[in-house]
Amino acid sequence: MLVLCGAWLLGAVLWLHTPNQQEHKPPLPGPGQTPGPKVQTSANDTAASFRTETCSLIPEAWRFDCYPERGVVVTRELCEARNCCFIPASTAFSSASRPSGKNGIPWCFYPSEFPSYSLVSLNDTLLGQKATLMKEVKTYYPGDILTIEVEMRYETDKRLLNHKFFSIKITDPSSSRFEVPISVPTVTNKTESPDYIIELSKQPFGLVVKRRSTGAVLLNTTVAPLFYADQFLQFSTSLPTQFIYGLGEHRSTFLHDVHWNTLTMWARDVPPTEQTNLYGAHPFYLAMEDGGNAHGFFLLNSNAMDVALQPTPALTWRTIGGILDFYIFLGPDPGSVVQQYVDVVGYPAMPVYWALGYHLCRWGYYTSNSTWEVVKSMRNYGIPQDVQWNDIDYMDKFMDFTYESKKFDTLPELVRDLHAHNQRYVMILDPGISSTQPEGSYWPFDEGVKRGSPGSAVWNPVDSVWPGLTAYPDFSDEVTHEWWYDNLQMFHDKVAFDGLWIDMNEPSNFLDGSTSGCPTNNLENPPYTPGVLGGLLRAKTLCATAQQKQSIHYNMHSLYGLMEAKASARPFVISRSTFPSQGMYSGHWLGDNRSQWKDLYTSIAGMLTFNLLGIPLVGADVCGFSEETQEELCVRWTQLGAFYPFTRNHNAISMKPQDPTAFSPLARTAMKEALLLRYSLFPVLYTLFHHAHVHGHTVARPIMFEFPKDVKAYGIDKQFMWGKSLLVTPVLDPGVVYVDGYFPEGLWYDYYTGDCVTSKGEELQLNAPLDKINLHLREGSIIPTQAPNLTLWVSTGQPLHLVSALSQDGSASGDLFWDDGETIDTYETNQYAYIIFSIAQVLTFIYFVEYSNLPCVLSNHIEASYITVESASFYGVTEKPSRVLVNSQDAPFTYRNNQVRF
Ligand SMILES: *[C@@H]1O[C@H](CO)[C@@H](O)[C@H](O)[C@H]1NC(C)=O
Ligand SMILES: *[C@@H]1O[C@H](CO)[C@@H](O)[C@H](O)[C@H]1NC(C)=O
Ligand SMILES: *[C@@H]1O[C@H](CO)[C@@H](O)[C@H](O)[C@H]1NC(C)=O
Ligand SMILES: *[C@@H]1O[C@H](CO)[C@@H](O)[C@H](O)[C@H]1NC(C)=O
Ligand SMILES: *[C@@H]1O[C@H](CO)[C@@H](O)[C@H](O)[C@H]1NC(C)=O
Ligand SMILES: *[C@@H]1O[C@H](CO)[C@@H](O)[C@H](O)[C@H]1NC(C)=O
Ligand SMILES: CC(=O)N[C@H]1CO[C@H](CO)[C@@H](O)[C@@H]1O
């Protein structure tokens, strides 16, 4: 749902009041710390003229911003007071006129001799090394810390990642600073023969990391000074490549632009806009090196931060709290980098089977009866639908855990009817809890107040003046989890919902801070504020000073969505705000997009980025959320959406209906075909989610993940793959019946006809009438499919049909993960079947098809327990074979158009 919606909306307010220092562990940065003395270096010191000369020797691309503050006209005086170089750049913006985001060559930048830390001692530890760094003088940021410790852990993880990653943690030995409360694996052994070489430079301190096999310099922090002040922590590194991905959540191309591009992270409710911090924060990037190797870098930090990219190429991390705790993943291929990252932050949950069906939603159904009408109409037209949703219009006065008893009088019946048709129901919940209802009339609030106690407050309501006022539950407190669960349980007794949509959890607020304002201190107004939309940390959210159980909101803000998802738990949760490890608890939709062709295109980058971030259950609002959609756009979007791992059509209030039944027969049929195609591919999608859950694989993946040496694939975000076998080439433009698509070297088979194209790594034009989305099968793959039906419940009971695309040597393979679709942790408890299919051409014309077919142990879902292979097609058989053997038995078959079927 959307932000800024007028008067009725959930309001502002929450805990608040200045944090009480006694009540919590020393969160850092905190008020009351003595700011360090400022360096008073005169611009006229002896080095000045020398510096002007050496400054001009620094090439523009190598200038690291010494004055990142926004809204300040950076003069020579201000700059030189920081002991930095001032040279107005010939082109681009000055720091003064810097728009947030693309900010141009800095006019004020660090000279090479800028004071920084030196390495004063280095000792071996059980897991690596520990260094002490010191510097002589404090810089201009208050609370500068002169002595810091660097702990390097050269980690071995026997699970899958031998010698492939290591971590570095930089802390203040004299005080305990805030650390992100997510659990990362504990490692016990030191790597003996790592894939990397680490070199430390002493003066100034710097860290260089090279890939042992190629010598590529993956990290070099000597390029700019290290800062470690209470509320300003910064380091820069050169990058071996311009090919950088990840760094969500932003609306951008999949490949980031390194030309003076600053990406800010701080969870924020705003319709996706370029150059703006959005709903989630993900300080992780993946980089493609020369020759097709890949590495990854993760900064485990939840404070507001900027990530500045520049064309050196280089990257600067600039955060305003916590510690510097980072992980480097050596890959060496991009898929392994994601696996190694996911191994640290947590593996995505295995979704319940119906999560992968078609979801239908809108804001503005107005009544349960009209919601129901759409469901019935979908059934009448034979269009697949697994899940019906409601936005906030189902609520009574927009209050969680209530439903409007007049307009939504039949909601419980609607949900029973959905269940009777093997369909599911999901509704929205916002975190804001109305704080202004008469006492005794709204249990969620009254009970929250009752259970809250100083130090473990669920919330502290502030005012109760305006009907829109709310309090925000503190999900960092276990007490809140119990309260949230009890509310869910009580509501479930009335409306038997199956999953949750947790929205507005940045958390979003229609005021800045609170009705009673926020305190004035260095948390609300830090010495440096990253480029957050609105210019203030509290813009459209809570006061930074708001006290939560685990720390102040200043540190916890971007974790709100993660902690709410954790409290909401399985089987199905979709969250708007996300943080690393979110995939363990929820999926994500890409927010309040517009019904525009451009948004159709950028949704692919969003989907691919979230797959990289370990949250594979992701998709954009099909047909677009805000603004009126058009029929052609909605058809194309439904086709692309059929390949989002999570596919939901969602519409804004007062827009015309945009569910498939609202369109002409031609459009409706095209949408139905796209959805039937998705349903027929369910076994493929479900198996990919199994590999995500168990191995940390991506589900929807960029082409370059499968072809990492093919540089032409590095920038592609108009096409993508499902796993390693299926290539999707959607139409993203209006009025066209052709689409250009890139095909990496090899054989590709048209999924529908079996026709083969041989590509040398080139762009090909494909036929793409309105009722077709191009889909190709990569040589060497076998995929299991099923006859689709109106719900996955029905179609997953159908026997399998294998589709095989032979490689040039006549072989192919594929797999299937199968269980009852609903029981949690079937893999962990060994209640599943895993089947490998393989085809080999033996002699010239005999094909062997082998598969091992294990029965599923569980049988809630009877049909699914007896999955069988009924038929198969092989594409790319150039001569009629004499025999086809299936599990050693002769099978009758037909041969036509280079295809064998049995
Ligand atoms: C110091 O530098 C400023 C400009 O940065 C200049 O105006 C001033 O005259 C200088 N003072 C001395 C004593 O050199
Ligand atoms: C390293 O060892 C030396 C003595 O050998 C000791 O003085 C120093 O404090 C140690 N440094 C660290 C970081 O443990
Ligand atoms: C760590 O080393 C010990 C002793 O060498 C060994 O028994 C253990 O298996 C190792 N653990 C891992 C995770 O490699
Ligand atoms: C690291 O960066 C410094 C400063 O730019 C440079 O002098 C040094 O050669 C670099 N080291 C490596 C290994 O590239
Ligand atoms: C919804 O439909 C039911 C059954 O037809 C009817 O009794 C009820 O009045 C309707 N509700 C509204 C709000 O129109
Ligand atoms: C669903 O299955 C039924 C029974 O097998 C069949 O009659 C119907 O055509 C199928 N529906 C679709 C949409 O394929
Ligand atoms: C369809 C679309 O525009 N999707 C964008 C929606 O917003 C997310 C960010 O939340 C972008 O990543 C998507 O590209």
Side-chain angles (χ1 to χ4, degrees), residues 248-249 265-267 278-283 301-302 558 577-580:
E249 181 172 11
M265 296 187 195
W266 181 246
L278 299 180
Y279 315 107
H282 293 271
N301 181 291
S302 60
S558 293
S577 188
T578 59
F579 192 79

Side-chain angles (χ1 to χ4, degrees), residues 249-252 272-273 278-279 588-594 596 598-607 610 620-621 637 644:
E249 181 172 11
H250 294 94
R251 174 167 159 137
S252 78
T273 315
L278 299 180
Y279 315 107
H588 174 61
W589 95 103
L590 294 171
D592 297 339
N593 291 308
R594 298 167 195 85
Q596 291 180 0
K598 180 167 186 196
D599 289 60
L600 174 66
Y601 159 59
T602 57
S603 72
I604 300 178
M607 166 184 74
F610 273 92
D621 284 344
W637 213 322
Y644 291 156

Side-chain angles (χ1 to χ4, degrees), residues 43-44 76-77 80:
N44 312 52
R76 177 177 297 275
E77 264 178 339
E80 290 182 351

